[in-house]
Amino acid sequence: MGIIEKMRLDGKAAFVTGGARGIGKSAAQAFAQAGADVAIVDMDIDEARKTAAEISGETGRNIVAVETDVTSKEQVDLMVKTVVDKFGKLDIAMCNAGICINAPADEMTYEQWFKVINVNLTGVFLTAQAAGKVMLKQGYGSIINTASMSAHIVNVPQPQCAYNASKAGVIQLTKSMAIEWAKKGVRVNSISPGYIGTDLTLNSPNLKPLIQEWNRMAPMGRLGKPEELQAICVYLASDASSFTTGSDFVIDGAFTCW
Ligand code: NDP
C-alpha cells in the first residue's frame, strides 16, 4: 500500500471533543474527508448538530453529534459507549476541548484555576482514559490530545498560568499513556498549535485585542488557520503513523523558535 492510501481513514470511527467549532471542527472535517465516520462531541449541542450536518453534507460520511461535558466522568463514559454503539468500534479519539482564562497568578481565584485545569487536563484524562479502555480491548486505536505551544513557552503579554500549566500537563499525560499502552496497539500523541484563528482567540474579549501584538511577535506575521492543523491530525489518526507514539507536534509557524 502506498503512503497516500495509508493516510486514508476509510472504515474508521472517530470522535472529536470540542468538535462543534474551531480546531476540533476542522479536524473532524479532515477525518471525514479521509473516509472516517465521526462523532462531534461538544457541550454546545446545537452547534455540534449544525457541524455534524455540514460535514455529513460535504462528505457523505456518517456524522453524529453527542452532547458531553468532558469534565463529567459519567458523561464521558456514556459518550464513548454511545459512539461505540453507533459505529461498532472506536479507532480515533481526539481529546481537544479546552478553555482559557486570563488572570495574573497572584490574583487568579481558586475557581478560575480549577475550571481551566478541570476542562483542559482532567477532561483530556477522562476522555483519553475512556477511549483507551475500548481501544485496549480492541488492540488498536489512536488518541490525539490537543496541547498547545503554551506547554512549551509562556505566552506574553497575557497572564495565563493555569492554561500554560494545564497544557504542559497534557503533554506529560500523553507520554505516560503512550508508554503504558505502547505494546498494546494504542498510540497516544499530542499536537501543540501556536495561535490559531478560532472563537477562542478571535471572539474572546480578553484575547482579541492582543492579536496585533501576537502577529508582531510571530515569525510568519499571522495567526494559523484551523485547516493548517488538518494534515497532522489525519497523519496521527492513520496507519501511516504506526511507529509514532508519545510524540508532541508543535505547529506554530516557528513562534516558539525565538
Ligand atoms: P473554541 O473555543 O473555538 O472551541 C472549543 C470547543 O470546545 C467549543 O465548542 C466549546 O464549547 C467546547 N468546550 C469547552 N468546554 C467544554 C467541555 N467542558 N466539554 C465539552 N466541550 C467543551 O477553541 P479552539 O478550537 O481554539 O481550541 C480547541 C483546543 O485547541 C483547545 O484545547 C485549545 O486550548 C487548543 N488550542 C487553541 C489554540 C488557539 O489559538 N485557538 C492554540 C493552541 C491550542 P462552548 O463554546 O460551548 O464553550
Side-chain angles (χ1 to χ4, degrees), residues 17-159:
T17 69
R21 52 171 63 80
I23 292 169
K25 175 180 176 181
S26 184
Q29 270 165 329
F31 293 155
Q33 283 169 18
D37 293 331
V38 187
I40 307 296
V41 178
D42 210 285
M43 273 198 324
D44 185 342
I45 188 61
D46 293 338
E47 199 60 30
R49 286 201 183 108
K50 268 193 236 158
T51 295
E54 185 185 324
I55 299 178
S56 173
E58 280 166 10
T59 63
R61 303 309 316 165
N62 188 4
I63 314 293
V64 297
V66 185
E67 183 174 9
T68 308
D69 178 344
V70 297
T71 64
S72 159
K73 179 168 165 45
E74 288 71 28
Q75 289 187 33
V76 168
D77 289 348
L78 183 61
M79 176 275 287
V80 170
K81 185 180 176 315
T82 305
V83 172
V84 174
D85 285 350
K86 277 226 152 47
F87 297 147
K89 60 176 182 155
L90 178 64
D91 301 284
I92 301 151
M94 182 153 172
C95 311
N96 166 80
I99 59 168
C100 187
I101 298 177
N102 294 327
D106 56 324
E107 290 171 19
M108 178 166 279
T109 63
Y110 172 81
E111 287 73 23
Q112 289 173 320
W113 167 267
F114 185 79
K115 189 166 183 200
V116 173
I117 299 293
N118 205 24
V119 177
N120 293 9
L121 182 54
T122 308
V124 169
F125 169 71
L126 293 174
T127 312
Q129 183 192 47
K133 282 182 187 174
V134 172
M135 291 174 174
L136 288 167
K137 271 201 201 122
Q138 296 174 163
Y140 60 83
S142 173
I143 297 174
I144 304 160
N145 297 327
T146 305
S148 170
M149 72 171 174
S150 311
H152 300 268
I153 58 159
V154 172
N155 303 66
V156 289
Q158 71 276 19

Side-chain angles (χ1 to χ4, degrees), residues 7 21-31 33 94 96 144-149 163 190-198 222-237 249-253:
M7 289 194 54
R21 52 171 63 80
I23 292 169
K25 175 180 176 181
S26 184
Q29 270 165 329
F31 293 155
Q33 283 169 18
M94 182 153 172
N96 166 80
I144 304 160
N145 297 327
T146 305
S148 170
M149 72 171 174
Y163 184 86
S190 57
I191 60 168
S192 280
Y195 292 117
I196 306 292
T198 66
R222 66 172 176 87
L223 305 186
K225 301 177 193 141
E227 56 268 31
E228 291 177 301
L229 303 171
Q230 286 179 322
I232 189 69
C233 294
V234 171
Y235 165 70
L236 291 173
F249 292 81
V250 178
I251 310 238
D252 67 349

Side-chain angles (χ1 to χ4, degrees), residues 171-209:
I171 292 180
Q172 273 301 79
L173 172 66
T174 300
K175 291 182 181 181
S176 305
M177 287 177 158
I179 292 267
E180 290 187 35
W181 299 343
K183 286 204 173 80
K184 298 174 180 166
V186 181
R187 297 183 295 105
V188 193
N189 293 287
S190 57
I191 60 168
S192 280
Y195 292 117
I196 306 292
T198 66
D199 279 355
L200 187 123
T201 46
L202 302 178
N203 295 330
S204 152
N206 290 331
L207 297 180
K208 198 177 169 188

